[in-house]
Amino acid sequence: MTEISNDEIADALERIIAGPEKKGAVMSDAKKKLVAYHEAGHAVVGALMPEYDPVTKISIVPRGAAGGLTFFAPSEERLESGLYSRSYLENQMAVAMGGRVAEELIFGPENVTTGASGDFQQVSRVARMMISQMGFSKQLGQVAWSSGGGDSFLGAQMAQPADCSAATTDMIDREVNEIVDIAYRRAKDLVTQNMSALHKCAELLLERETIDGEDLQAILVTEQSEQYLKEDEPSVSIPYRP
């Protein structure tokens, strides 16, 4: 009987999640550098957010439609219970923003790419469900203003609109925008404070193409990076905001 290694199991799971590796894919040095910083942004933010899922692997080898991927290991308790705290969701949104933030800080706001489109969809979905379904609204209270479009906030469908006034819809939109802005500011503030760790992570990715969570932790220890505990940083600017 042939034994299956842990690496083979991990690769099979990654194929299911993101598709097979495109090992023969040709990528320009400029694109490779951009993808490395994008993924390093996700990884550094994720590793420094308290009580968030640990980083297990970072890769700039293309898989499916993705130029690179950062893998996290959700806790069994969280997966089994299906319960997610407000702080966890806020951290999750900041982690998703980490890639675009890194692009902005390294290449400039005029040179960011469409690589974060999937991240924005995830953040927008989570933020809207927090406000309209989960009772996390500070303005509208513990009311479900829409019906669920999936089994959980990780589902692919957006929530369906409920019967509410145009004024209430506007309030929901404003609060969703506020939550998304806070996630962006937290991610940008964290990355700005840990630029050296971001550079070293990206450089290691460019050298090896794939690194694991231990490699990232070694970088963070060397750089004396600390967990990010701020709930917001209003002084941080957001591109394309009036």
Side-chain angles (χ1 to χ4, degrees):
M1 183 176 178
T2 304
E3 290 188 2
I4 300 175
S5 68
N6 289 335
D7 288 342
E8 289 173 319
I9 293 172
D11 183 65
L13 290 172
E14 290 165 12
R15 281 171 174 266
I16 294 171
I17 295 170
E21 285 188 350
K22 298 179 180 177
K23 293 184 177 179
V26 178
M27 190 184 298
S28 68
D29 289 343
K31 182 178 179 182
K32 202 170 183 180
K33 181 179 179 181
L34 187 141
V35 172
Y37 273 101
H38 184 103
E39 296 307 324
H42 285 309
V44 170
V45 176
L48 296 177
M49 282 292 170
E51 300 179 15
Y52 194 69
D53 305 326
V55 177
T56 57
K57 181 179 178 179
I58 315 160
S59 175
I60 58 171
V61 177
R63 274 185 181 273
L69 287 166
T70 300
F71 294 92
F72 297 86
S75 72
E76 289 187 22
E77 179 183 354
R78 197 174 285 123
L79 286 175
E80 290 175 359
S81 69
L83 299 175
Y84 300 83
S85 67
R86 180 181 182 120
S87 62
Y88 177 88
L89 298 181
E90 290 171 342
N91 290 344
Q92 182 190 58
M93 290 187 289
V95 173
M97 291 294 196
R100 168 57 72 87
V101 161
E103 288 187 26
E104 177 198 338
L105 292 173
I106 300 302
F107 303 101
E110 300 305 320
N111 294 307
V112 295
T113 70
T114 58
S117 61
D119 301 326
F120 291 152
Q121 291 174 33
Q122 176 193 356
V123 169
S124 299
R125 182 170 64 247
V126 172
R128 188 162 297 277
M129 293 186 76
M130 286 175 68
I131 299 305
S132 63
Q133 286 183 253
M134 299 176 180
F136 289 149
S137 170
K138 295 179 180 178
Q139 303 296 324
L140 299 169
Q142 325 304 305
V143 179
W145 295 97
S146 63
S147 58
D151 292 335
S152 72
F153 78 92
L154 292 174
Q157 294 179 311
M158 289 290 287
Q160 299 301 312
D163 293 329
C164 59
S165 68
T168 299
T169 300
D170 288 343
M171 289 179 69
I172 291 171
D173 289 343
R174 284 196 298 271
E175 202 160 358
V176 167
N177 282 332
E178 180 184 350
I179 288 178
V180 172
D181 285 351
I182 289 172
Y184 198 94
R185 288 195 295 261
R186 294 178 76 217
K188 187 173 179 179
D189 188 40
L190 187 157
V191 173
T192 301
Q193 293 179 26
N194 293 276
M195 287 297 289
S196 181
L198 180 77
H199 287 307
K200 289 193 174 181
C201 182
E203 289 165 3
L204 195 59
L205 279 169
L206 288 169
E207 178 185 335
R208 300 184 188 174
E209 292 194 329
T210 299
I211 64 177
D212 59 27
E214 291 183 0
D215 295 322
L216 176 61
Q217 284 301 319
I219 290 171
L220 297 177
V221 169
T222 300
E223 297 303 314
Q224 299 181 327
S225 298
E226 298 180 350
Q227 284 196 325
Y228 187 81
L229 302 177
K230 295 182 185 179
E231 294 183 357
D232 190 11
E233 182 48 68
S235 65
V236 172
S237 62
I238 301 176
Y240 313 119
R241 275 292 191 205

